[in-house]
Amino acid sequence: MTTIAELPPGFADKVLSAQSTFRSVMDAMARPGSVQRIVPVAGAPDTMMRGTAAIALTLFDHDTPLWLDARMAESTDVLKWLKFHTGAPVVQDTSIASFALVSDGGALLPLERFALGTNEYPDRSTTVIIQADSLDSGRGFELRGPGIDGVATLHASIKPFDLFERLRVNETLFPRGIDVVLVADDAVVAIPRTTRVVSKGG
């Protein structure tokens, strides 16, 4: 039984850190493919990267249903930490989740199983947050779309390996679709539904 005192802390300075994290996430969304840095939290559960924990503390609350992948959902430390720091309700039904936390991208569910929004309310879709091995080395991905001047090149080591192929579903769904946020330790990259991959390197 974990006591409150044993839970890893959240932000050292809650207001400033939350504002800074929010700005980093918004900058990442505004400039898809660009690597933004997040002020890491003072402590996070083992299966949760520091950047993921910072995003959770900033964006999750009791009005944001949250879906967790198996590895996260099986961690009592993660469940207790999220409940204590955010109050976000953890749901089993992917189609009603505002956010999904994915620690094992290799086991990512089909994106169509998440909330895709509606034509009237495209923002009522799930934002999928995937923990990655690296966002500054690995395969090269050339991205185009709103917020990108010409082409943005992202070098990343991510799973699933076919993530960008899966995100092609967004092309047919627009304005509905899935927004993805990639996190590697304190680095974050956003891949909004309007972003397209034009080519991939080795």
Side-chain angles (χ1 to χ4, degrees):
M1 174 107 180
T2 313
T3 66
I4 296 294
E6 291 172 313
L7 280 171
F11 287 132
D13 181 324
K14 191 165 184 181
V15 175
L16 283 177
S17 297
Q19 288 173 344
S20 169
T21 301
F22 186 77
R23 200 161 48 244
S24 294
V25 173
M26 290 301 105
D27 286 348
M29 281 290 184
R31 295 200 291 280
S34 68
V35 178
Q36 305 293 327
R37 296 286 164 185
I38 282 181
V39 179
V41 296
D46 284 347
T47 47
M48 192 182 288
M49 290 179 177
R50 298 182 306 160
T52 307
I55 292 171
L57 291 173
T58 303
L59 300 183
F60 300 176
D61 60 28
H62 55 77
D63 287 328
T64 52
L66 175 62
W67 181 85
L68 304 174
D69 75 357
R71 208 166 123 217
M72 290 254 192
E74 286 162 8
S75 166
T76 53
D77 287 348
V78 167
L79 295 173
K80 286 177 180 172
W81 188 90
L82 284 168
K83 184 177 181 183
F84 178 72
H85 286 294
T86 73
V90 175
V91 297
Q92 307 291 326
D93 183 354
T94 48
S95 70
I96 61 168
S98 296
F99 293 93
L101 284 187
V102 179
S103 61
D104 178 10
L108 180 66
L109 295 176
L111 294 174
E112 295 85 346
R113 289 179 55 182
F114 294 102
L116 300 172
T118 65
N119 286 336
E120 296 77 27
Y121 301 102
D123 57 325
R124 291 184 182 171
S125 61
T126 306
T127 298
V128 180
I129 300 168
I130 303 174
Q131 296 189 158
D133 291 335
S134 172
L135 293 175
D136 50 25
S137 65
R139 291 166 72 196
F141 301 92
E142 291 190 345
L143 311 176
R144 283 187 192 273
I148 299 172
D149 185 11
V151 173
T153 302
L154 168 67
H155 288 279
S157 178
I158 51 178
K159 291 176 188 164
F161 297 117
D162 62 347
L163 176 64
F164 287 103
E165 282 84 356
R166 296 191 194 195
L167 285 171
R168 287 225 169 96
V169 69
N170 282 334
E171 295 177 32
T172 55
L173 290 170
F174 193 79
R176 301 183 302 139
I178 295 288
D179 298 318
V180 168
V181 176
L182 302 171
V183 179
D185 194 31
D186 67 341
V188 60
V189 167
I191 312 292
R193 67 194 67 183
T194 51
T195 301
R196 306 285 175 255
V197 169
V198 285
S199 68
K200 297 191 297 294

